[in-house]
Amino acid sequence: LNLAGKRLVVIGGTDGLGRAIARLAASRGAKVTVVGRTFRDADTPGMDFVRADLSSMKEAARLGRELAVEGVDLVALTHGIIAAPQREATAEGIERDMAVSYLSRLAILRELAPRLREGARVFVMGFPGAGNRGDAADLNAERAYDAMAVHMNTVAGNEMLVLDAKDRYPRVGVYGLNPGLVRTNIRANLLGEGSLKHRVAEFFIGLFTPSP
């Protein structure tokens, strides 16, 4: 795969699948802009970095407005978490998984998509394509809280995001990607970073799934 001359933006490209995609693309000749909190690949040719707090809707909208995407061939929205055992809220009062894994993507895409060139592509990671249904009456998990039910709200949101985008942005191709079960750090928020439960889960997942 020769990506020489291609321009990519990987939002959430500092860890997990996003980082793997960014590094692979750069190794194949693409110029890659990575967006996230902690950049670990400053010594990798072909990559640059934009710092952003993707739990903030204000920051996400600003990023969508200001990110240089003219001439970009592909934008990958890969950032996300799994809800914690106890409800967490951002400074803006939004349940944290909903903010990071869905609403920030919506805010970014609404600002960014109209500025993409015709024929550019947007990949939305975390799209099972199974018609998942969220709880529309409690999207902010204020009435009740269950970590997996809350996370499924974000999954349903991402399915809606892709299906809506095909009509809202007809000049741009928007695709949902289902990565399946992959060994990344996305479960740390649910299981506890570095906890015994987290290490055991990663060990068994690693026996049957690839690392990015």
Side-chain angles (χ1 to χ4, degrees), residues 100-111:
V100 174
S101 304
Y102 167 57
L103 288 177
S104 66
R105 297 175 174 201
L106 174 64
I108 290 167
L109 194 60
R110 286 288 171 91
E111 299 288 348

Side-chain angles (χ1 to χ4, degrees), residues 26-88:
S27 75
R28 300 297 174 88
K31 178 176 173 55
V32 183
T33 297
V34 168
V35 179
R37 291 185 301 176
T38 305
F39 191 41
R40 301 175 176 87
D41 297 304
D43 58 346
T44 303
M47 295 177 68
D48 57 35
F49 177 57
V50 174
R51 188 181 305 279
D53 177 3
L54 299 174
S55 69
S56 163
M57 298 306 100
K58 182 178 179 180
E59 180 80 349
R62 181 198 63 78
L63 178 71
R65 288 192 304 271
E66 298 180 3
L67 195 62
V69 294
E70 291 74 16
V72 163
D73 298 287
L74 185 148
V75 176
L77 299 170
T78 69
H79 59 289
I81 60 173
I82 295 179
Q86 305 298 321
R87 186 180 185 275
E88 299 175 330

